[in-house]
Amino acid sequence: MKKELPPVNEGPRADALDKVTGKATYAAEHRVPNLAYGVFVCSTIAKGTIQSIDESVALKSEGVIDIISHKNCPSIPGYATQLPDGTRNPKQWWGMKVLHDNQVRFYGQPIALIVAETIEQANAASLLLKVSYQKETFETDFNLIRKDLSKAKPPSTYTRGNATNLEQAAVKVEGEFNIPIEVHSPMEPQATIAVWESEDKLTVYDKTQGPKATQGALARLFNIPDKNVRVIVNYVGGAFGNALRNWHNVPAACIAAKKINRPVKVVLTRPQMFNLTGYRPQSWQQLKIGADQSGKFVGIVHHAISNTSRYEEFREGIVNASRFLYACDYVETNYRILPLDVSTPTWMRGPGEATGCFALESSIDELSYTLNMDPVELRIKNFAEKNPESKLPWSSNYLKECYDKGRELINWNNRAQKPGSLQENGWLVGYGMANGVFGAGRSQASVRAILNADGNLVLQSAVSDMGPGTTTAMTKIAAENLVMPLNKISFKLGDSELPPGPTQGGSTTTSTLGTAVYLACETLKKSLCTLAVEYAPAFKNMEASTLLVQNGGVSSTLNKELFISNADLLKLANKPFLEITQDSQGTSAMELKHATNSFSSHFVKVLVNPKTFKVKIAEVVTTADAGKIISENTARSQMLGGVVGGVGMALLEELKFDHQTGAITNASFAGYQVPLHPDIPKTTVWFVNKPDPIINPIGAKGLGEIAFIGLAAAIANAVYNATGKRVKDLPITPEKIRAIKN
Ligand code: MOS
């Protein structure tokens, strides 16, 4: 029997209408009766102790309900370092314990929370707090401090092969790369509304990428059972990693709400978003790469340092891709973190790899010119047939198809191998490309599927969707599996009371949750077939295994005439609905014999003004091997977003400090530049769209990170092709291009 396929790869995002009409309710927008408003007062020194806080004037300010600081913060179980018996508290709050002590660890650290009847009153009173400090000397200047390696934490190192390979290489290039701090800059700021339903029962509306993770964190903070904490996050207005953990607003709102016995809302201001929700750490990298005359890599040495805060150690995989993206016998990597008196960095789109691939992919490009070889041909020459680090075969790797399509779509034939030799209308023209790679595992998930008597299917899981279109992708997986129309399927997320779903991060949601949805549909189909045999007279005595669920009912593979709709079947079985809950395991439980990664290859055409060195991105072709593409529209949007982020990283973004005070000097969109519409060129997205046979039954690999990883290098490589000037310090500004002599 021929399957009648529904239009699974078409249609808008499932939540598009809600988002564009304003019906979508974000964390700060929930209406809660008797709500009070909390506003942080932040430190105006970078390091030291708070000597005194004088609240007397602020407390008299209109509408002020309370002012919470370390002076009067209630005792919080999760803030205790030790249990009463003196052993380490295993349920300690992860991160800085806001409002807990008199220590100032970075400039702009929240030191008090003003709680008032209105946001205006809280803001007004926040200016009236008088704070005095004992200042201490501090270090915020990464470029200066990193030169003293004794100040960094001990390195993590990796070596394989023989170093003499690189020493004796026929051709070698070596360079240093600097990337400043970049911040997530989502539209929706971090926001928390905390409501204590009773003494030990908490409901929280929060911007989070992981409702279950936030639930667990708050349960530990207040030493109450998980089930006593409910986290609601219906929509997330962008996150890119900055809602993977709970920042100061979360405990502060909950502590304040408990203290004043009223719901409290804390929303970070835009300037606070530059400082209080993590960021891509600043980094320095050194990369050496050598090849033989034919272009075969003989050695890669990749060293990196990135900053962390003084109070937490944040590490990411900056040097990891250098170990396995290409075939190379000798590889040495070394990665250190350097504590500074700043707030803690965090994962930000393509964490680690985006930084590392800028150095790796820029260096390979440079090597291609030394060899006088096409940079794509050089990469093909060094294609890794299996993962050279783990020695495992790839579950799938279609990078070569990305190269072919990328070259075709960007018109790579038009590229000149000699830099600076191509012009259009008086502008220098350059073509560049670079690759991205990221892990493609999956984790555990649980999904509930409820098939109602009206034939509609509801899927549920406690996840949130920061924007990639999880709802859309999940309904499409179910629609395809059950061969039923999309409009009969809905996906409910955003509530920790639903079956436990994964935190959305690391490009794993589609693979993780999609597997659970797929398996839930499989189970549902089996149940329906069993019900048909049991209750539908026409199917009596048939084998359930010969039945088929599609088009909203059960049919027989043996007799095409037979069909009973799910609705009729449930009626016969006297069931108002059919409900199943399905768990799926993660790749860690699978004993994988394969290396699982997603790959991307980005192709860029730039125009550079020969007098001003202004860079205009003329065109981008971005290609990816992300396995099977579940939802073309939303997957394409991920890739477009990656390009926007890549243009920002390459040309614009840089958080700046005043090292005299330790303050950030450009904590606004006037000072911190992000790409705007005119900065984004015509972009073509192409997917290999071949299912991965190993990672999961749906064939999808991750997509979010590889959309972005490699883009900055592709742009830098195109600028080099246009000008013969290789900028290794991001962002690439006209001043930096001009300063390079060639
Ligand atoms: Mo992300 S950095 O996987 O939120």
Side-chain angles (χ1 to χ4, degrees):
M1 185 183 280
K2 193 175 171 294
K3 277 192 178 186
E4 201 181 296
L5 283 174
V8 288
N9 276 333
E10 291 163 28
R13 301 170 67 102
D15 51 8
L17 198 63
D18 285 354
K19 284 190 168 178
V20 298
T21 56
K23 196 177 156 215
T25 312
Y26 294 85
E29 298 175 333
H30 287 271
R31 284 170 193 252
V32 172
N34 200 25
L35 185 65
Y37 295 80
V39 164
F40 280 131
V41 175
C42 297
S43 71
T44 53
I45 66 163
K47 190 177 187 175
T49 48
I50 301 164
Q51 276 195 316
S52 68
I53 300 180
D54 176 359
E55 303 94 344
S56 54
V57 182
L59 271 175
K60 284 190 212 119
S61 184
E62 196 183 331
V64 171
I65 301 164
D66 201 351
I67 297 174
I68 304 171
S69 69
H70 70 280
K71 287 167 65 181
N72 62 349
C73 183
S75 151
I76 309 296
Y79 274 8
T81 51
Q82 291 185 341
L83 297 176
D85 66 4
T87 57
R88 193 185 152 274
N89 178 6
K91 292 181 171 181
Q92 259 186 80
W93 180 250
W94 174 31
M96 214 195 80
K97 296 163 184 168
V98 68
L99 310 176
H100 176 59
D101 61 22
N102 66 351
Q103 296 298 303
V104 175
R105 295 162 179 88
F106 60 91
Y107 195 107
Q109 172 192 315
I111 54 170
L113 187 78
I114 311 275
V115 189
E117 297 289 344
T118 69
I119 182 79
E120 292 81 6
Q121 289 167 341
N123 277 328
S126 72
L127 304 174
L128 304 174
L129 212 61
K130 290 188 192 129
V131 185
S132 69
Y133 302 96
Q134 180 72 46
K135 284 192 201 176
E136 290 170 31
T137 55
F138 61 89
E139 293 173 322
T140 53
D141 191 345
F142 177 84
N143 285 329
L144 186 73
I145 313 297
R146 69 143 177 95
K147 289 179 182 143
D148 179 357
L149 283 183
S150 71
K151 297 203 164 176
K153 297 280 172 189
S156 51
T157 58
Y158 167 88
T159 312
R160 71 162 179 262
N162 187 345
T164 50
N165 287 359
L166 183 57
E167 285 154 24
Q168 295 163 2
V171 287
K172 265 186 268 197
V173 300
E174 182 175 342
E176 292 186 23
F177 300 83
N178 291 287
I179 303 178
I181 287 177
E182 294 153 5
V183 293
H184 302 77
S185 310
M187 279 197 287
E188 183 199 15
Q190 246 68 9
T192 309
I193 299 174
V195 186
W196 285 93
E197 315 284 355
S198 66
E199 182 59 27
D200 64 350
K201 214 158 172 286
L202 174 66
T203 298
V204 164
Y205 304 89
D206 184 46
K207 171 177 180 162
T208 173
Q209 288 170 238
K212 288 300 288 183
T214 297
Q215 178 193 40
L218 288 172
R220 288 191 298 278
L221 183 66
F222 292 102
N223 196 24
I224 53 181
D226 278 23
K227 64 173 174 44
N228 286 19
V229 181
R230 183 175 182 187
V231 176
I232 294 170
V233 48
N234 297 339
Y235 294 91
V236 176
F240 320 114
N242 84 342
L244 282 168
R245 60 181 296 190
N246 306 115
W247 301 103
H248 311 287
N249 49 293
V250 183
C254 298
I255 290 169
K258 197 165 181 60
K259 186 163 187 290
I260 69 165
N261 200 19
R262 263 176 81 166
V264 171
K265 168 153 82 176
V266 178
V267 183
L268 296 191
T269 63
R270 183 54 66 179
Q272 288 169 350
M273 288 295 292
F274 285 84
N275 205 20
L276 298 184
T277 65
Y279 52 85
R280 188 188 308 288
Q282 185 163 3
S283 61
W284 168 89
Q285 301 178 76
Q286 183 183 52
L287 204 136
K288 290 182 219 178
I289 182 165
D292 66 18
Q293 283 298 354
S294 76
K296 210 177 150 342
F297 297 163
V298 296
I300 299 173
V301 175
H302 190 173
H303 293 184
I305 307 174
S306 64
N307 84 273
T308 184
S309 69
R310 193 75 69 185
Y311 54 95
E312 282 184 290
E313 297 189 359
F314 176 78
R315 290 184 168 77
E316 56 182 13
I318 294 180
V319 296
N320 295 8
S322 294
R323 299 179 198 150
F324 68 83
L325 184 49
Y326 300 98
C328 184
D329 287 339
Y330 169 64
V331 176
E332 189 232 301
T333 67
N334 176 311
Y335 172 51
R336 290 176 166 90
I337 54 169
L338 177 72
L340 295 176
D341 298 302
V342 295
S343 63
T344 307
T346 196
W347 305 279
M348 176 165 154
R349 208 149 204 226
E353 274 79 354
T355 299
C357 281
F358 175 64
L360 178 66
E361 293 293 299
S362 293
S363 301
I364 291 172
D365 194 68
E366 187 172 348
L367 192 69
S368 75
Y369 288 93
T370 315
L371 286 156
N372 195 25
M373 235 178 127
D374 179 288
V376 182
E377 292 302 326
L378 179 58
R379 284 170 174 83
I380 292 171
K381 178 116 206 155
N382 292 287
F383 180 78
E385 296 293 342
K386 58 181 180 179
N387 181 309
E389 183 182 7
S390 65
K391 317 279 189 236
L392 295 172
W394 305 108
S395 59
S396 57
N397 179 344
Y398 296 109
L399 253 184
K400 287 178 181 168
E401 298 190 18
C402 292
Y403 297 151
D404 288 343
K405 203 66 187 180
R407 283 191 284 194
E408 177 197 322
L409 293 172
I410 198 82
N411 207 359
W412 192 252
N413 284 337
N414 199 27
R415 170 186 177 272
Q417 175 71 15
K418 187 170 179 299
S421 54
L422 211 60
Q423 290 211 1
E424 270 175 26
N425 305 320
W427 288 63
L428 296 162
V429 178
Y431 290 83
M433 60 81 61
N435 290 341
V437 65
F438 203 75
R442 65 175 161 101
S443 59
Q444 280 176 295
S446 186
V447 166
R448 186 186 296 134
I450 304 164
L451 182 65
N452 286 305
D454 60 6
N456 286 319
L457 176 68
V458 181
L459 299 161
Q460 302 176 331
S461 185
V463 295
S464 66
D465 177 4
M466 64 172 149
T470 301
T471 311
T472 312
M474 293 309 121
T475 49
K476 285 185 173 175
I477 289 167
E480 187 163 316
N481 188 286
L482 298 169
V483 196
M484 69 187 275
L486 275 172
N487 62 11
K488 288 196 170 301
I489 306 173
S490 57
F491 191 92
K492 175 149 174 51
L493 47 65
D495 187 336
S496 61
E497 299 211 323
L498 300 172
T503 292
Q504 183 162 69
S507 303
T508 56
T509 308
T510 301
S511 177
T512 299
L513 197 60
T515 301
V517 167
Y518 175 93
L519 295 176
C521 292
E522 291 293 306
T523 306
L524 198 62
K525 286 194 289 195
K526 280 203 194 94
S527 303
L528 285 165
C529 293
T530 311
L531 280 184
V533 174
E534 200 172 332
Y535 292 99
F539 291 86
K540 204 171 161 86
N541 296 330
M542 296 186 86
E543 284 288 328
S545 61
T546 64
L547 304 185
L548 201 60
V549 176
Q550 57 179 14
N551 305 325
V554 181
S555 41
S556 162
T557 52
L558 307 172
N559 179 352
K560 287 179 190 172
E561 304 298 306
L562 284 184
F563 178 84
I564 182 163
S565 73
N566 293 333
D568 288 344
L569 181 55
L570 289 183
K571 245 180 249 146
L572 285 178
N574 200 19
K575 286 179 184 292
F577 56 86
L578 185 60
E579 178 186 314
I580 60 121
T581 300
Q582 178 76 45
D583 296 321
S584 72
Q585 291 304 306
T587 32
S588 58
M590 287 168 66
E591 290 177 29
L592 279 178
K593 303 258 185 321
H594 290 80
T596 56
N597 290 90
S598 297
F599 304 91
S600 57
S601 195
H602 315 286
F603 292 77
V604 176
K605 178 187 177 186
V606 299
L607 302 173
V608 182
N609 187 296
K611 294 197 186 75
T612 64
F613 294 111
K614 180 184 167 60
V615 176
K616 278 203 283 200
I617 315 270
E619 190 176 347
V620 176
V621 171
T622 179
T623 70
D625 166 17
K628 180 181 161 177
I629 299 305
I630 301 296
S631 157
E632 233 152 71
N633 279 345
T634 52
R636 184 173 168 275
S637 292
Q638 283 289 285
M639 296 294 279
L640 294 177
V643 171
V644 176
V647 171
M649 179 177 182
L651 303 182
L652 299 165
E653 297 187 48
E654 177 172 17
L655 195 71
K656 292 179 179 162
F657 286 85
D658 170 5
H659 298 303
Q660 298 296 316
T661 61
I664 291 167
T665 59
N666 62 342
S668 76
F669 287 140
Y672 183 93
Q673 303 293 309
V674 293
L676 305 175
H677 283 288
D679 300 314
I680 304 305
K682 174 189 162 199
T683 298
T684 307
V685 175
W686 183 80
F687 294 113
V688 175
N689 200 5
K690 287 187 180 166
D692 184 283
I694 303 290
I695 299 173
N696 56 47
I698 56 175
K701 300 197 277 188
L703 182 57
E705 325 292 335
I706 55 161
F708 171 76
I709 297 165
L711 254 164
I715 293 168
N717 296 345
V719 169
Y720 178 79
N721 186 246
T723 62
K725 294 163 188 276
R726 185 171 298 282
V727 182
K728 297 176 179 174
D729 299 341
L730 296 180
I732 301 168
T733 58
E735 296 77 15
K736 288 182 194 166
I737 302 174
R738 179 187 298 281
I740 296 171
K741 303 281 171 247
N742 60 343

